[in-house]
Amino acid sequence: MIDTALLVAQTAATGFLAAWMFTGVKDNWLHPDLNGAVVGVILRIEKMQLNFPQEYAQIKHRRVESDRVHRAIFWLIVLWETLALIVLVIATVAMGLALVGVVSPDIARSLALMGVLLFTSVWAGFLIFGNHWVYWYCHEWGQNSHFQLLLWGLSTLIFLAIG
């Protein structure tokens, strides 16, 4: 009984990440100008230049001016998020099928671990690259969101690994 309950909870936890990722991926495909513009603001280090000019002077060589590069980076992010979503959906379905005995729970959990790792890597990537472009200076709300999502992914990875 406990094995079934654990698998139900792990299926739900994986599905929750898939649902959250769906909302973000959907918006990025339907409204790319929203997050696409933010990528440009961060890569140009615009807000830091305005609000912290002395500190900006020390790292201004990191500034990326090219709108073409901004778009390329944005679409690379969207493709990575889309891959994470696809694997999370496949994993959630596999976990559901494991509950009814169609798929091995080990295979389903392995798929879920890979999907959650992809999910987590999105936020780790934002934190790593955001650190390079010092987004904590003026985008602390974004950094905090990414950190919280990273923790959600890591805790789900641990939860999947226990069973």
Side-chain angles (χ1 to χ4, degrees):
M1 181 73 162
I2 190 69
D3 290 340
T4 301
L6 182 60
L7 189 56
V8 167
Q10 291 170 329
T11 302
T14 304
F16 295 152
L17 293 180
W20 192 96
M21 187 60 89
F22 173 77
T23 64
V25 167
K26 174 184 61 80
D27 282 344
N28 280 335
W29 282 105
L30 295 176
H31 309 288
D33 52 316
L34 296 176
N35 282 328
V38 173
V39 169
V41 168
I42 290 170
L43 294 177
R44 281 189 297 272
I45 318 174
E46 288 178 2
K47 290 188 175 189
M48 186 179 185
Q49 183 181 18
L50 293 172
N51 298 320
F52 300 95
Q54 290 177 320
E55 291 83 356
Y56 169 78
Q58 297 174 52
I59 55 94
K60 67 182 177 183
H61 62 279
R62 298 179 190 174
R63 184 177 173 105
V64 178
E65 293 282 350
S66 170
D67 288 338
R68 188 175 185 182
V69 172
H70 300 165
R71 281 191 301 279
I73 290 172
F74 171 74
W75 286 111
L76 181 64
I77 292 166
V78 173
L79 290 173
W80 192 258
E81 290 173 340
T82 302
L83 175 63
L85 171 62
I86 291 167
V87 176
L88 284 167
V89 169
I90 291 169
T92 302
V93 169
M95 300 272 291
L97 292 172
L99 284 166
V100 295
V102 175
V103 173
S104 157
D106 286 342
I107 291 172
R109 280 191 189 100
S110 295
L111 286 168
L113 281 165
M114 297 315 300
V116 175
L117 179 60
L118 287 166
F119 174 92
T120 305
S121 73
V122 170
W123 317 115
F126 285 166
L127 290 169
I128 293 164
F129 289 102
N131 195 52
H132 177 75
W133 280 284
V134 292
Y135 81 150
W136 70 87
Y137 261 85
C138 301
H139 301 275
E140 54 275 351
W141 47 266
Q143 184 186 36
N144 183 56
S145 294
H146 299 154
F147 187 65
Q148 298 299 326
L149 289 161
L150 175 74
L151 292 176
W152 187 14
L154 288 173
S155 63
T156 304
L157 280 172
I158 293 167
F159 183 45
L160 288 167
I162 66 169

